[in-house]
Amino acid sequence: MTTIEPRLTSLAHGGGCGCKLAPAVLRDILKGMPLAGPFADLMVGTETSDDAAVWRLNDSQALVATTDFFMPVVDDPFDFGRIAATNALSDVYAMGATPIFALALVGMPVSVLSTDTIGRILQGGASVCAAAGIPVAGGHSIDSVEPIYGLVALGLVHPDQVLTNRGAQVGDVLILTKALGVGVLSAAFKQERLEAAGYAALIASTTKLNTVGAKLAGRAGVHAVTDVTGFGLLGHALEMARGAGLTVELTGPPPLLEGVEALAVGGVRTGASGRNWASYGEGVDLPAGLEDWRRDLLTDPQTSGGLLIAVVPDKADGILALAQAEGFGRTAVVGRVVEGPPRVRVVG
């Protein structure tokens, strides 16, 4: 007799980067943590909520280290593994680094899911690492109530070429390399309201490696980079504004994945988008009359989202061309950096 397994997404109370703790909750948890000691070689720690830690190894190499894991955003186990691995490696690329190897983090309800299904999740992650040119060199697994998968990802970058989220300067143009709407599409998927074209757009976006990040390291005029993930475009733009001590203006509707606008207008949203707004909305200025669904898209959690790049205006066309050449066809200018307090201002 063949046992029918439940949908992966039915086993999780959340999915993808929508599982992340809300920014306000995370701040409360971490506020009592002691500061890292005076380690001279710790180039990037927890100070500005950057994408990864960076440790100087020598005059020509710095080690970038990060970890990321979450519960299923789709039901296909191979695709779930691909998405989780792509998302984890994104933090390495966002620092301007090239990945060197990964370790798998695996928590699975072994009494519910077959070893074949669990194996397919790991195979999906390994396939993405292979595409990035790195091995999955080990890991750790536990028996868990909900399925969880992700990676510890390590990379290398020249110490003088580390990219952070705090270097934006007045006059910089902001470029986003992927369209928004992953959270909306994943919510529609769980509600069985997502059509085939929307699902294809979801998979294509979330499994696209942010390889362009490694090519930004050392590039003239690039001042700051972060990837847009669980806190949405507003949240990660606000981190960039706070890191620079400047105002970030979002100057027009950002590009959206196929079908997202219609779903958002129809009321599809994630719980995380509301939690995000409740956590950091006091740091954002919205135009009068902005529809709730448009605000929800700006706070929509992006599993394996694109890179947000701050670059001087006369180098912006070169960055757009580079991203296009790397296969990021929806790359667009979405804002600018101006004088002012560390806030985000939506002006379009």
Side-chain angles (χ1 to χ4, degrees):
M1 179 177 178
T2 302
T3 301
I4 300 176
E5 294 186 17
R7 296 175 62 187
L8 281 179
T9 53
S10 73
L11 299 174
H13 74 280
C17 283
C19 297
K20 290 178 72 169
L21 294 177
V25 174
L26 187 60
R27 285 197 301 271
D28 284 345
I29 292 172
L30 296 178
K31 66 184 179 182
M33 290 288 290
L35 295 175
F39 297 102
D41 290 318
L42 182 61
M43 298 179 62
V44 179
T46 61
E47 297 82 9
T48 58
S49 303
D50 225 314
D51 295 302
V54 183
W55 184 272
R56 183 191 302 271
L57 297 175
N58 50 54
D59 289 343
S60 62
Q61 292 178 311
L63 179 68
V64 174
T66 185
T67 185
D68 219 314
F69 54 88
F70 47 60
M71 291 166 280
V73 68
V74 295
D75 291 323
D76 183 274
F78 191 78
D79 282 343
F80 168 40
R82 292 169 66 206
I83 293 167
T86 305
N87 180 75
L89 291 175
S90 179
D91 286 340
V92 173
Y93 289 123
M95 307 300 290
T98 299
I100 54 173
F101 72 90
L103 305 174
L105 300 172
V106 184
M108 293 292 156
V110 294
S111 63
V112 177
L113 295 178
S114 68
T115 55
D116 286 343
T117 295
I118 297 170
R120 289 291 286 166
I121 294 171
L122 271 62
Q123 290 164 18
S127 75
V128 165
C129 290
I134 64 170
V136 179
H140 185 64
S141 59
I142 63 169
D143 186 359
S144 172
V145 174
E146 297 180 277
I148 298 168
Y149 177 71
L151 300 176
V152 174
L154 302 173
L156 292 175
V157 64
H158 194 287
D160 296 336
Q161 297 179 358
V162 175
L163 298 171
T164 71
N165 66 1
R166 61 190 180 209
Q169 299 180 17
V170 172
D172 282 351
V173 169
L174 295 179
I175 293 174
L176 180 65
T177 62
K178 289 186 182 182
L180 302 180
V182 169
V184 168
L185 293 180
S186 62
F189 177 78
K190 290 193 73 169
Q191 297 170 22
E192 300 186 348
R193 296 174 59 180
L194 188 61
E195 297 181 353
Y199 184 79
L202 171 66
I203 298 299
S205 179
T206 54
T207 58
K208 174 67 175 171
L209 284 165
N210 279 323
T211 51
V212 67
K215 297 188 176 183
L216 296 174
R219 195 172 178 104
V222 176
H223 292 146
V225 179
T226 191
D227 63 345
V228 177
T229 53
F231 300 154
L233 178 59
L234 283 183
H236 293 285
L238 184 58
E239 288 179 341
M240 187 175 281
R242 287 171 172 167
L246 297 167
T247 295
V248 165
E249 288 187 343
L250 298 181
T251 55
L256 301 176
L257 293 168
E258 182 170 352
V260 165
E261 182 169 337
L263 289 167
V265 171
V268 178
R269 66 197 293 266
T270 68
S273 64
R275 292 193 296 273
N276 280 341
W277 179 251
S279 293
Y280 57 66
E282 78 285 349
V284 178
D285 300 316
L286 298 177
L290 184 73
E291 300 97 324
D292 287 346
W293 67 267
R294 291 190 185 276
R295 188 199 71 189
D296 288 342
L297 288 176
L298 294 174
T299 60
D300 188 55
Q302 301 304 289
T303 301
S304 190
L307 299 181
L308 185 64
I309 305 162
V311 58
V312 295
D314 63 356
K315 301 294 185 182
D317 285 346
I319 299 302
L320 290 168
L322 173 65
Q324 292 280 347
E326 287 287 302
F328 295 88
R330 302 296 304 280
T331 301
V333 173
V334 296
R336 59 182 173 247
V337 181
V338 300
E339 291 279 10
R343 299 180 62 81
V344 174
R345 181 184 306 130
V346 180
V347 297

